[in-house]
Amino acid sequence: GQQVMQIPQYQHVQEGEDFTTYCNSSTTLSNIQWYKQRPGGHPVFLIQLVKSGEVKKQKRLTFQFGEAKKNSSLHITATQTTDVGTYFCAGHASGGSYIPTFGRGTSLIVHP
Amino acid sequence: SAVISQKPSRDICQRGTSLTIQCQVDSQVTMMFWYRQQPGQSLTLIATANQGSEATYESGFVIDKFPISRPNLTFSTLTVSNMSPEDSSIYLCSVTPEQGFGDTQYFGPGTRLTVL
């Protein structure tokens, strides 16, 4: 079945440093979504990428979808303590799928 | 988007008992799902709750252990039966308001279950 690998599992950064998490799928995706889960909270939708090579930005967050639609990344510039949490990617298999496959998540810890 | 509530928000239960978790959505939704998230882990799909018919379970999950009801398009329940400490986890309800493939999932606040 489809697998979605996400690395790293944890990342410690000093406030102000950049952060990147990577997501790789074993199969081609129709889209990829990113979610953020704050400590003690529930996953909250951030963004969806659909097109090959697509790049989207949300303030200090940059999301990319690979040309082959099998990988994606989330980059945060100049991290802040409010960025703390676990970031999950979730991919829908191409050909039609109601249910995404979630990566295991990257936990970001920002030290002030 | 959809606003989702879950009850209870947390519970501590004794081994061998059962707990029913409720999920209420503020609008009619096509798809409702139940996930489990163990501490520090990713989201594991338990089942898709189907309105008016039996839930569709993922590999490793069975109806006898996790019976699910979905009487209408805004409400579902998940029961964790004959609990053991291994069932300690966060249980999350999620919905996709639209009907298409690849839709966004909206999650409820979760139910934190501890089994002693």
Side-chain angles (χ1 to χ4, degrees):
Chain A
Q2 180 190 16
Q3 291 185 325
V4 175
M5 309 298 292
Q6 191 173 353
I7 58 170
Q9 186 175 354
Y10 301 96
Q11 184 77 59
H12 291 256
V13 299
Q14 290 294 131
E15 189 172 18
E17 292 181 340
D18 292 355
F19 159 78
T20 305
T21 173
Y22 301 90
C23 195
N24 288 285
S25 171
S26 59
T27 59
T28 303
L29 302 171
S30 63
N31 69 21
I32 195 154
Q33 298 165 348
W34 286 90
Y35 295 80
K36 177 182 179 180
Q37 184 174 24
R38 295 181 185 274
H42 59 278
V44 174
F45 172 76
L46 293 177
I47 207 161
Q48 175 169 288
L49 304 171
V50 178
K51 299 176 183 176
S52 170
E54 188 170 13
V55 178
K56 287 189 177 181
K57 293 190 175 185
Q58 288 180 349
K59 298 183 181 179
R60 294 178 293 103
L61 279 61
T62 301
F63 304 84
Q64 293 187 335
F65 200 10
E67 294 290 340
K69 300 185 72 173
K70 295 181 71 173
N71 58 70
S72 181
S73 64
L74 158 59
H75 179 82
I76 302 178
T77 304
T79 55
Q80 300 175 358
T81 54
T82 53
D83 295 324
V84 165
T86 301
Y87 294 85
F88 292 97
C89 63
H92 283 89
S94 61
S97 170
Y98 291 109
I99 302 170
T101 299
F102 281 84
R104 68 177 302 171
T106 297
S107 293
L108 172 62
I109 301 100
V110 180
H111 299 277
Chain B
S1 65
V3 177
I4 305 163
S5 60
Q6 278 186 239
K7 289 195 294 188
S9 58
R10 60 179 65 237
D11 207 341
I12 301 173
C13 301
Q14 296 297 320
R15 180 195 300 259
T17 62
S18 298
L19 176 72
T20 296
I21 302 168
Q22 298 180 3
C23 176
Q24 179 73 56
V25 191
D26 68 340
S27 59
Q28 293 186 343
V29 294
T30 305
M31 310 288 286
M32 294 182 76
F33 307 95
W34 287 98
Y35 283 86
R36 182 172 72 184
Q37 186 178 32
Q38 294 179 314
Q41 301 298 314
S42 188
L43 300 154
T44 301
L45 181 64
I46 298 171
T48 302
N50 301 309
Q51 193 257 333
S53 64
E54 194 172 286
T56 304
Y57 289 84
E58 297 299 306
S59 176
F61 297 96
V62 295
I63 188 171
D64 290 346
K65 175 67 175 177
F66 297 101
I68 288 171
S69 78
R70 189 173 175 193
N72 56 52
L73 294 177
T74 63
F75 185 79
S76 178
T77 67
L78 167 73
T79 299
V80 186
S81 303
N82 188 24
M83 288 184 285
S84 66
E86 291 71 34
D87 294 320
S88 297
S89 190
I90 300 171
Y91 291 86
L92 293 149
C93 167
S94 80
V95 305
T96 56
E98 304 301 325
Q99 201 166 346
F101 293 133
D103 285 327
T104 303
Q105 293 211 354
Y106 297 92
F107 287 86
T111 296
R112 296 172 184 275
L113 171 62
T114 301
V115 183
L116 304 177

